[in-house]
């Protein structure tokens, strides 16, 4: 019914934004990732939308780009995952990080989302793994996820990921932070660069 909405941001909180268009302010539920990208009150924003229709009413969801909306639609296709849970997952994980988590079978990272338990997270991995493997962004080397040698192309990369996990980072966050780095670097340099990447999120 609605494809997108463009207008001035007149209100926002941790899960919603009100966008005024043609004199009407639309109340849109969204993710923290979208809220970080669309700007502040008074700025003009475009949201790609999905209208959720339930027995007790309707709710408009909006996202900053088509990719996040695509992952939202995939999430709500999973049995037991409603629109609010899907938005919660996309608040905890960017689409890229979610893709990596699903492809790597990293259930723990998905459970970081509020209201998402291990059973639902496992179901998401099982039901979406094939779909997501075709959509993993090009800059994530999928060979690292499917190689017969394991998730990592070098021992240094694997050691760096394990070190980051020992510091308290999830498998998904650690893998994502290391995936874009040159695997020929020393373990120490990989850890330092990965920590800088993680600090910028």
């Amino acid at each position: 019914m609605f494809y997108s909405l463009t207008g001035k941001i007149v209100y926002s909180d941790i899960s919603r934004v009100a966008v005024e268009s043609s004199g009407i302010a639309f109340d849109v539920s969204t993710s923290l990732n979208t809220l970080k990208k669309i700007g502040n009150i008074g700025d003009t924003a475009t949201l790609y939308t999905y209208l959720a229709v339930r027995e007790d009413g309707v709710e408009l969801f909006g996202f900053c780009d088509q990719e996040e909306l695509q992952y939202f639609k995939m999430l709500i296709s999973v049995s037991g995952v409603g629109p609010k849970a899907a938005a919660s997952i996309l608040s905890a994980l960017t689409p890229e990080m979610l893709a990596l988590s699903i492809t790597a079978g990293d259930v723990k990272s998905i459970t970081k989302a509020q209201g998402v338990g291990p059973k639902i997270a496992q179901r998401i991995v099982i039901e979406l793994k094939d779909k997501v493997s075709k959509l993993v962004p090009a800059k994530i080397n999928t060979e690292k996820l499917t190689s017969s040698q394991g998730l990592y192309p070098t021992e240094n990369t694997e050691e760096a990921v394990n070190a980051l996990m020992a510091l308290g980072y999830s498998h998904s966050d650690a893998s994502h932070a290391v995936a874009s780095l040159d695997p020929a670097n020393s373990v120490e340099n990989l850890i330092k660069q990965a920590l800088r990447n993680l600090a910028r999120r």
Side-chain angles (χ1 to χ4, degrees):
M1 182 176 181
F2 297 108
Y3 177 77
S4 66
L5 173 65
T6 299
K8 183 172 70 173
I9 301 172
V10 295
Y11 172 82
S12 68
D13 61 24
I14 60 172
S15 63
R16 294 164 46 245
V17 62
V19 176
E20 185 179 286
S21 179
S22 301
I24 301 172
F26 294 85
D27 186 8
V28 186
S29 296
T30 188
S31 69
L32 283 175
N33 288 314
T34 284
L35 288 169
K36 290 175 184 177
K37 293 179 180 179
I38 59 174
N40 302 310
I41 292 175
D43 293 337
T44 297
T46 294
L47 296 172
Y48 295 92
T49 56
Y50 176 88
L51 185 65
V53 180
R54 305 186 306 272
E55 291 183 1
D56 58 346
V58 296
E59 187 170 5
L60 187 64
F61 288 80
F63 302 95
C64 62
D65 55 43
Q66 293 277 17
E67 182 185 31
E68 192 168 14
L69 176 61
Q70 181 181 26
Y71 276 87
F72 174 81
K73 289 180 177 179
M74 282 195 294
L75 286 168
I76 61 175
S77 73
V78 176
S79 176
V81 180
K84 288 189 179 296
S88 177
I89 292 169
L90 290 168
S91 289
L93 300 168
T94 64
E96 185 177 282
M97 292 169 66
L98 176 60
L100 181 60
S101 297
I102 292 172
T103 307
D106 184 3
V107 172
K108 185 176 179 181
S109 287
I110 300 174
T111 61
K112 291 193 302 183
Q114 185 175 0
V116 178
K119 289 184 178 179
I120 292 295
Q122 185 67 48
R123 193 177 301 158
I124 289 170
V125 169
I126 292 171
E127 295 190 23
L128 297 184
K129 191 167 187 176
D130 288 342
K131 292 181 181 179
V132 168
S133 63
K134 301 173 184 177
L135 301 172
V136 174
K139 62 182 175 180
I140 295 179
N141 186 348
T142 56
E143 290 181 1
K144 296 176 187 176
L145 303 176
T146 58
S147 167
S148 61
Q149 297 179 345
L151 291 176
Y152 312 107
T154 69
E155 290 185 6
N156 285 358
T157 308
E158 183 173 5
E159 286 184 32
V161 170
N162 288 336
L164 290 170
M165 291 172 64
L167 292 173
Y169 291 100
S170 70
H171 179 275
S172 178
D173 285 348
S175 298
H176 182 266
V178 172
S180 61
L181 304 177
D182 183 353
N185 281 322
S186 68
V187 175
E188 183 180 357
N189 284 337
L190 286 171
I191 294 171
K192 288 180 179 178
Q193 292 177 47
L195 286 171
R196 284 197 290 267
N197 289 343
L198 289 163
R200 286 196 289 266
R201 292 181 187 172

